[in-house]
């Protein structure tokens, strides 16, 4: 089972809680990342600030606007929190806290489910009190694509083998060969009495869809007391 440790980005870029939000924005732009773990001086995770935190800002009039009923039923504390997040200048005032985290030995499937449940795009990877990495939706997608590609590659090898075995079974000369297929490369092994049989096996393998290369190790051997005919002997 694929673990988070194997796909995470180790030693992620972080920022302190007292940094200004525009410092965080510049750091994200400089490193081409969309989120930053926020850590204290001891390296303990306090929260996370992401690109979405810059999309609802009072300065650009994208902060959340509430109707009368929402303001009436929302607690004073909740409204104050939203105001601070929209107009705050320090990372600590804007970050999401506590941040959803994951352990390095958790499965990739667990990370994907947690991201979906929490509706987040990234998870800090923590070991004890230390943040050792970060895993994103992109990392999970890339791992998924690799697994799917690997799976289909195995199926393709199986399909190639089945197709070639079926073709050789239809030929009278095709029953004296053993074959293997790995990553589209066909390996032929065995012994035949006639060079033409070896050549025909080569052609059959080369003409099988999906074959990238043929490693023909078939040996031409002579019966006792009969020399092997030289190439070109048969007309």
């Amino acid at each position: 089972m694929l673990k988070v440790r194997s796909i995470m980005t180790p030693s992620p870029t972080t920022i302190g809680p007292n940094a200004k939000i525009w410092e965080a924005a510049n750091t994200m732009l400089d490193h081409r990342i969309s989120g930053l773990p926020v850590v204290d001086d001891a390296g303990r995770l306090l929260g996370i600030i992401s690109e979405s935190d810059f999309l609802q800002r009072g300065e650009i009039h994208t902060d959340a606007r509430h109707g009368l009923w929402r303001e009436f039923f929302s607690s004073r504390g909740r409204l104050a929190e939203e105001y601070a997040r929209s107009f705050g200048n320090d990372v600590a005032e804007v970050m999401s806290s506590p941040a959803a985290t994951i352990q390095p030995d958790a499965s990739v499937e667990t990370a994907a489910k947690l991201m979906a449940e929490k509706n987040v795009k990234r998870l800090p990877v923590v070991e004890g009190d230390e943040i050792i990495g970060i895993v994103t939706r992109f990392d999970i997608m890339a791992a998924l694509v690799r697994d799917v590609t690997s799976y289909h590659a195995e199926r393709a090898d199986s399909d190639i083998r089945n197709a070639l075995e079926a073709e050789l079974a239809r030929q009278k000369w095709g029953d004296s060969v053993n074959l293997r297929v790995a990553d589209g490369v066909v390996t032929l092994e065995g012994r035949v009495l006639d060079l033409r049989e070896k050549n025909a096996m080569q052609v059959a393998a080369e003409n099988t869809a999906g074959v990238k290369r043929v490693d023909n190790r078939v040996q031409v051997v002579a019966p006792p007391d009969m020399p092997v005919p030289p190439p070109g002997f048969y007309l």
Side-chain angles (χ1 to χ4, degrees):
M1 182 179 297
L2 196 60
K3 303 294 185 182
V4 167
R5 187 189 301 273
S6 65
I7 67 169
M8 71 180 189
T9 299
S11 304
T13 303
T14 61
I15 199 163
N18 297 323
K20 299 303 179 183
I21 61 169
W22 303 117
E23 294 179 66
N26 284 329
T27 300
M28 285 188 238
L29 291 172
D30 289 343
H31 289 83
R32 297 181 180 275
I33 54 179
S34 58
L36 284 172
V38 183
V39 299
D40 63 15
D41 292 338
R44 290 185 293 265
L45 182 67
L46 302 176
I48 196 162
I49 184 170
S50 66
E51 58 190 359
S52 62
D53 294 316
F54 296 93
L55 300 181
Q56 294 187 357
R57 295 294 302 171
E59 302 95 322
I60 56 177
H61 307 295
T62 56
D63 54 313
R65 304 292 181 175
H66 307 309
L68 292 176
W69 285 106
R70 171 68 186 278
E71 292 197 10
F72 181 78
F73 285 106
S74 295
S75 69
R76 291 163 58 93
R78 177 61 181 272
L79 293 174
E81 178 187 1
E82 292 179 354
Y83 179 89
R85 288 179 62 84
S86 295
F87 291 91
N89 290 312
D90 293 343
V91 167
E93 298 169 329
V94 176
M95 69 182 186
S96 298
S97 180
T101 63
I102 197 160
Q103 299 291 316
D105 291 325
S107 68
V108 171
E109 290 81 1
T110 299
K113 290 178 181 177
L114 184 57
M115 285 185 188
E117 290 172 1
K118 300 294 185 180
N119 192 28
V120 294
K121 296 181 179 179
R122 64 198 58 79
L123 292 170
V125 184
V126 296
E127 198 166 44
D129 292 332
E130 182 184 3
I131 176 170
I132 64 170
I134 194 164
V135 63
T136 66
R137 288 182 181 178
F138 179 86
D139 297 324
I140 292 178
M141 183 178 70
L144 175 63
V145 169
R146 287 194 297 269
D147 282 353
V148 170
T149 302
S150 174
Y151 171 77
H152 283 293
E154 292 174 2
R155 288 300 300 260
D157 286 344
S158 175
D159 290 343
I160 291 170
R161 180 185 176 89
N162 291 338
L164 181 53
E165 285 181 340
E167 175 62 24
L168 292 174
R170 287 192 288 268
Q171 311 303 327
K172 291 183 178 181
W173 43 263
D175 58 354
S176 56
V177 65
N178 296 315
L179 65 93
R180 302 192 310 273
V181 184
D183 296 328
V185 178
V186 175
T187 301
L188 302 174
E189 295 179 323
R191 294 186 176 187
V192 296
L193 300 178
D194 193 321
L195 178 62
R196 292 175 294 184
E197 294 178 38
K198 177 178 180 177
N199 293 340
M201 292 172 184
Q202 175 85 19
V203 171
E206 291 175 341
N207 287 340
T208 302
V211 172
K212 300 176 183 176
R213 182 169 58 83
V214 179
D215 183 7
N216 194 341
R217 302 179 185 178
V218 174
Q219 299 179 19
V220 180
V221 296
D225 302 325
M226 179 179 292
V228 177
F233 175 81
Y234 300 99
L235 298 178

